[in-house]
Amino acid sequence: MQLNSNEQNIYKELIHYLNKYIELNNNDLENIKKYFEYKSFKRNTILEEKGNVANHLYFIISGFVYVYTNKSEVEFITTFIGSPSNMITAFESFNNGMLSKENLKTITEVTLLSINKEDFAKLIHDDEKWIEVFRQIYEWGQIYNEQRFKDLIILSAEERYIKLIKTRPSLIYNVPVKILASYIGINAKSLSRIRKNIKL
């Protein structure tokens, strides 16, 4: 099966992303087109809500999305910020069918490819190799979170921010200070002071 030019543009980044894990054949391309739905959302849109079971897995084509949990009505903890070519959802809830402890919300306008749990089950039923693909994606997320947790303990706030600049510079220019600060474990005022002392 050959994708037409418009379909190639929509699915190009997802295909490139998945090719890191498996060599996609024509049947795989057909399943990607069949099960992943193109969607766009405005900024500040809740995609998955705390207290519900996360029902979708998203691949970000453009824009930024964050995963967070509320400490209070005004305080929140950001656990992940998704950028283009990231897979994102409330993974624990999506994988285990548990009520989510986190919210998934757009930061900017976004375009996504989305697969729901029912279609996800069909995809891995059609070909068991997808189980291994998504196992590796999930493991990457766990390793990323473990390293982030270590950074919160070992690195100073300024060192964490400098590391973010070096490893994920697109976040610095597209994500509000309040969300960035929460992500690296400090308050917005502290991050503003750090930013004044660092020349980008």
Side-chain angles (χ1 to χ4, degrees):
M1 174 234 175
Q2 297 293 321
L3 300 177
N4 65 42
S5 58
N6 287 335
E7 290 169 340
Q8 286 176 346
N9 288 334
I10 291 171
Y11 293 100
K12 178 177 68 174
E13 293 304 322
L14 176 58
I15 291 168
H16 176 72
Y17 175 83
L18 293 172
N19 266 325
K20 293 187 295 184
Y21 300 98
I22 54 171
E23 185 174 345
L24 299 172
N25 57 37
N26 285 341
N27 187 59
D28 297 327
L29 296 177
E30 175 66 36
N31 281 333
I32 289 170
K33 181 185 172 186
K34 179 180 179 181
Y35 292 125
F36 282 87
E37 181 181 1
Y38 177 83
K39 295 182 178 181
S40 62
F41 295 95
K42 295 181 179 179
R43 61 190 298 270
N44 295 325
T45 300
I46 295 285
L47 301 179
E48 303 291 339
E49 191 168 10
K50 181 179 179 180
N52 297 328
V53 175
N55 195 45
H56 294 83
L57 176 66
Y58 303 93
F59 178 81
I60 302 174
I61 299 172
S62 67
F64 296 81
V65 179
Y66 72 121
V67 183
Y68 70 96
T69 187
N70 294 99
K71 290 177 65 178
S72 67
E73 289 186 5
V74 293
E75 290 186 285
F76 61 93
I77 299 172
T78 301
T79 56
F80 185 71
I81 302 174
S83 54
S85 295
N86 283 158
M87 281 279 189
I88 192 168
T89 188
F91 277 102
E92 185 178 16
S93 175
F94 184 83
N95 287 338
N96 300 325
M98 302 165 57
L99 297 181
S100 178
K101 300 174 184 176
E102 301 171 309
N103 298 293
L104 195 69
K105 189 175 183 180
T106 64
I107 298 170
T108 62
E109 291 186 355
V110 298
T111 56
L112 309 160
L113 288 170
S114 168
I115 184 169
N116 63 44
K117 282 181 69 76
E118 182 179 352
D119 287 339
F120 181 80
K122 291 176 183 176
L123 178 65
I124 62 177
H125 181 267
D126 288 347
D127 192 332
E128 289 188 355
K129 71 182 177 186
W130 289 103
I131 296 175
E132 176 62 18
V133 171
F134 289 107
R135 183 191 64 79
Q136 290 184 53
I137 292 170
Y138 183 64
E139 284 188 355
W140 174 89
Q142 289 182 310
I143 292 169
Y144 184 92
N145 285 332
E146 288 172 6
Q147 183 59 55
R148 179 174 166 272
F149 180 71
K150 290 178 183 176
D151 289 346
L152 288 171
I153 296 172
I154 297 170
L155 302 181
S156 69
E158 184 170 320
E159 288 170 335
R160 294 196 296 273
Y161 183 64
I162 290 171
K163 182 175 181 178
L164 196 64
I165 293 171
K166 292 178 178 179
T167 59
R168 302 191 68 192
S170 64
L171 302 189
I172 307 302
Y173 300 102
N174 292 282
V175 176
V177 169
K178 189 174 182 180
I179 297 174
L180 285 178
S182 170
Y183 185 57
I184 63 172
I186 60 176
N187 61 50
K189 288 183 179 179
S190 296
L191 180 54
S192 294
R193 286 195 297 269
I194 291 171
R195 285 162 69 103
K196 287 179 182 178
N197 295 328
I198 297 174
K199 293 183 179 179
L200 297 181

